[in-house]
Amino acid sequence: MAPRWARGAHFLVLLLVIIATDHTRADEISYDDVDAPKHPGCDNKFVLVKIRNWIDNVPASDYVGITARFGGPVAARADKAHVTSLSRADPIDCCSNPGGVKHAGNILLAERGNCTFTTKARIAQQAGASAVLISNDREELYKMVCFENDTFADITIPAIMIPRSAGESLESALQSSQSVKLLLYSPVRPVVDLGELFLWCLAVATVIGASLWSACTANDVGSGRYKRLKEASAASRTKDDSDDKEVVDISIASAVCFLILASVFLLLLYLFMSNWFLMLLVVLFCIGGAEGLQTCLVTLLSRLFPGVGTRHITIPILGTVSSLSVVVFPICVAFSVIWAVYRHAHVAWVGQDVLGVALILTVLQVVRLPNIKVSTVLLSCAFLYDIFWVFISPYIFKESVMIVVARGDKSGGESIPMLLRVPRFYDPWGGYSIIGFGDILLPGLLVSFTLRFDWANKKSLSGGYFLWTTVGYGLGLMLTYVALNLMDGHGQPALLYIVPCTLGIVVLLGWIRKELGALWNNKDVAEEPSAGQVGAAQA
């Protein structure tokens, strides 16, 4: 039985994980900024560029730049690009003609400042440069736009902004009379990466696993109650059965309040996110993940080896606990601590996903939906919540609050841990495909309910609701990936696609089958035998 204090902890964790409901890519390859001004010849998308370089024919560190709103395109493949020599503009700001220095065919390096970006590009082009690299005065990649009311079709060479550190490194090599050669290209991501497929399977499998576990638990509890009724009659039952598993049903009021509190917490994260705040989230995630992993392992081992889970010992403060829990818990804590220490390692995503899946499975056992009416309120509020903080918040805060928090823009680029992530295995840009816990947890509550409803009402797989809701969840998640690709990697609210494909399917099927009333109002457990039925059974 889950301890009573765990209920509050689960609700706190649930509040924290829902803030990560956005499914987004953290590093877009190309995007169109609607706020950046456009003019004829100045309407390009901003595209990330890989910059490979050789110093005295020795390979050096690669850099990443971003193209301007104006100028020519960059080759999409390395084998279609050409290795080109780099030369330094003189003056370095490239605001006046470089004089007698020859730059024909070279890439010209300039620094930001003293004149417009378009002026620098025109002067570099007049000097015969094949491209111009403009070193920013900070590490961020600034979007170079056009401010003059003019046409800019005459600029045909690519103009690329690079971070300050990259510019300083290249300039230092040039001033040391070293030969610097560059290869500029902007590789295109594959339409579907193996990592995205793996993440999709992981999310769907987590929802199915949580639903089966929830339905099995409900079935075990129901059977145990009926057995006790037969043996001791209804009068002998106490109000608080110690054998029952702690379960919290969500009410309409708590669903609405919960989404309001989640919005407040998300806004606090956006306003006050820092390294210490992120560390607090890491600690909370480790606590919840360790508890979830312990619950999953103890439950699995108890079912595989029934005799192991029956032994108990008494511990001060905690009281009587399973001896199996005492053995498993230190292992789970050690696993969480190791992940926290090495969370920046290349394979740390495995540990994060293990802890995350265990946490989601555990929360879905404790928090449940009693009917479709509550589910409609909860998922509808979450639907609006997701849309507001991804699409509408930029009009208030000048940027998408959900995406900024999910990417960790205000915490040194480290994203919050309340999400599942899988590396993009065949993506030339690397990075991770991610999905927030809320995109699994909230639809998972509905899918778990449908399976318990089907089992309680003895419905077949095709004649019930679980199969079709699960298919709808997979379809909604797939539509999210499609939208991500169509929108050039712009962050998408996954619940925008998942909610209609899950809740919509349940409501539609219930209406067609004339069972919407039972789904809407009734609880998802079969009616327990009455005292008269028990007496008849005993007779």
Side-chain angles (χ1 to χ4, degrees):
M1 184 182 85
R4 291 182 179 276
W5 59 265
R7 291 190 300 175
H10 283 306
F11 268 116
L12 176 60
V13 172
L14 187 59
L15 177 62
L16 292 174
V17 300
I18 200 172
I19 64 172
T21 52
D22 176 57
H23 181 106
T24 179
R25 284 176 173 167
D27 48 348
E28 298 92 342
I29 295 303
S30 65
Y31 56 94
D32 193 2
D33 191 338
V34 295
D35 295 327
K38 292 183 180 180
H39 304 285
C42 187
D43 53 3
N44 297 341
K45 286 187 176 182
F46 300 104
V47 180
L48 293 181
V49 178
K50 279 184 176 289
I51 304 173
R52 299 174 60 184
N53 70 98
W54 294 263
I55 298 178
D56 285 342
N57 296 321
V58 178
S61 300
D62 294 349
Y63 303 116
V64 175
I66 187 170
T67 59
R69 181 66 96 185
F70 54 88
V74 178
R77 293 169 47 184
D79 58 357
K80 298 296 183 180
H82 300 284
V83 177
T84 308
S85 296
L86 178 70
S87 59
R88 180 180 181 272
D90 186 15
I92 189 61
D93 59 14
C94 198
C95 291
S96 58
N97 196 297
V101 180
K102 301 299 182 181
H103 302 287
N106 289 355
I107 298 173
L108 192 63
L109 176 65
E111 288 184 354
R112 178 182 179 181
N114 300 330
C115 62
T116 63
F117 298 121
T118 51
T119 299
K120 296 176 188 293
R122 281 195 176 99
I123 291 175
Q125 181 172 296
Q126 292 170 2
S130 59
V132 58
L133 296 185
I134 301 177
S135 176
N136 198 8
D137 54 7
R138 58 186 65 184
E139 283 303 297
E140 291 78 9
L141 292 176
Y142 185 83
K143 292 174 289 188
M144 296 185 290
V145 298
C146 311
F147 295 100
E148 302 89 347
N149 187 17
D150 192 4
T151 58
F152 302 91
D154 60 307
I155 303 176
T156 58
I157 64 171
I160 301 166
M161 172 70 72
I162 59 176
R164 180 177 61 184
S165 59
E168 291 175 348
S169 177
L170 294 174
E171 185 177 0
S172 174
L174 290 174
Q175 289 182 334
S176 301
S177 300
Q178 294 178 296
S179 169
V180 179
K181 295 184 178 180
L182 304 180
L183 181 69
L184 311 179
Y185 67 105
S186 180
V188 179
R189 277 191 170 133
V191 177
V192 179
D193 186 78
L194 182 61
E196 292 178 331
L197 180 61
F198 183 83
L199 185 62
W200 182 89
C201 294
L202 181 61
V204 173
T206 301
V207 168
I208 294 175
S211 302
L212 291 171
W213 186 4
S214 177
C216 289
T217 301
N219 186 61
D220 291 345
V221 170
S223 300
R225 285 177 177 171
Y226 183 70
K227 182 178 180 179
R228 290 195 299 274
L229 281 171
K230 287 182 64 177
E231 294 175 347
S233 80
S236 66
R237 287 181 62 209
T238 61
K239 186 176 181 180
D240 184 12
D241 266 314
S242 61
D243 292 334
D244 289 348
K245 192 175 183 66
E246 293 276 0
V247 174
V248 178
D249 284 339
I250 299 177
S251 65
I252 292 179
S254 62
V256 175
C257 292
F258 178 71
L259 268 299
I260 294 174
L261 291 175
S263 295
V264 172
F265 194 84
L266 177 64
L267 188 58
L268 290 175
L269 277 179
Y270 171 75
L271 295 175
F272 302 107
M273 175 63 81
S274 58
N275 289 332
W276 71 266
F277 206 156
L278 183 65
M279 286 304 303
L280 176 61
L281 294 180
V282 170
V283 171
L284 292 174
F285 173 71
C286 288
I287 294 173
E291 183 189 351
L293 188 58
Q294 178 211 6
T295 302
C296 293
L297 290 178
V298 169
T299 302
L300 179 62
L301 293 174
S302 297
R303 287 190 174 271
L304 293 177
F305 309 100
V308 175
T310 58
R311 301 174 184 175
H312 293 76
I313 60 176
T314 302
I315 298 178
I317 301 178
L318 296 179
T320 302
V321 297
S322 168
S323 57
L324 181 60
S325 299
V326 175
V327 175
V328 171
F329 186 68
I331 299 175
C332 298
V333 172
F335 186 89
S336 296
V337 171
I338 292 174
W339 172 83
V341 173
Y342 296 100
R343 67 184 184 279
H344 299 299
H346 180 66
V347 296
W349 64 273
V350 177
Q352 181 171 334
D353 289 353
V354 170
L355 293 173
V357 169
L359 177 58
I360 293 171
L361 292 174
T362 303
V363 171
L364 287 176
Q365 307 317 303
V366 177
V367 182
R368 297 184 182 179
L369 292 173
N371 48 51
I372 292 299
K373 177 168 61 177
V374 176
S375 177
T376 300
V377 174
L378 177 65
L379 291 179
S380 297
C381 290
F383 178 82
L384 297 175
Y385 165 92
D386 230 10
I387 293 175
F388 177 84
W389 289 113
V390 174
F391 290 144
I392 301 178
S393 62
Y395 296 99
I396 302 174
F397 302 95
K398 305 301 181 183
E399 56 188 350
S400 175
V401 172
M402 181 79 75
I403 295 178
V404 169
V405 172
R407 290 191 308 208
D409 289 358
K410 296 188 176 183
S411 57
E414 182 177 358
S415 60
I416 60 177
M418 283 75 175
L419 47 83
L420 302 183
R421 58 177 185 148
V422 176
R424 303 187 189 107
F425 298 106
Y426 297 104
D427 192 327
W429 289 96
Y432 292 86
S433 296
I434 64 174
I435 181 171
F437 285 179
D439 296 336
I440 304 175
L441 193 60
L442 293 176
L445 289 169
L446 175 61
V447 177
S448 296
F449 165 78
T450 58
L451 184 58
R452 295 194 304 271
F453 182 89
D454 289 353
W455 282 18
N457 292 276
K458 298 179 173 58
K459 289 185 172 292
S460 64
L461 185 62
S462 60
Y465 297 90
F466 169 71
L467 173 63
W468 307 114
T469 310
T470 304
V471 171
Y473 175 73
L475 176 62
L477 195 57
M478 188 178 299
L479 290 176
T480 306
Y481 284 113
V482 173
L484 278 169
N485 287 308
L486 292 178
M487 297 296 290
D488 290 322
H490 257 252
Q492 294 293 304
L495 294 182
L496 173 65
Y497 310 95
I498 294 176
V499 170
C501 291
T502 51
L503 181 62
I505 286 178
V506 173
V507 173
L508 180 62
L509 283 178
W511 179 73
I512 293 174
R513 297 170 178 175
K514 302 185 184 304
E515 296 176 341
L516 189 56
L519 289 164
W520 189 261
N521 296 307
N522 292 355
K523 291 193 174 183
D524 57 318
V525 295
E527 184 179 357
E528 294 178 357
S530 64
Q533 291 173 321
V534 173
Q538 290 175 333

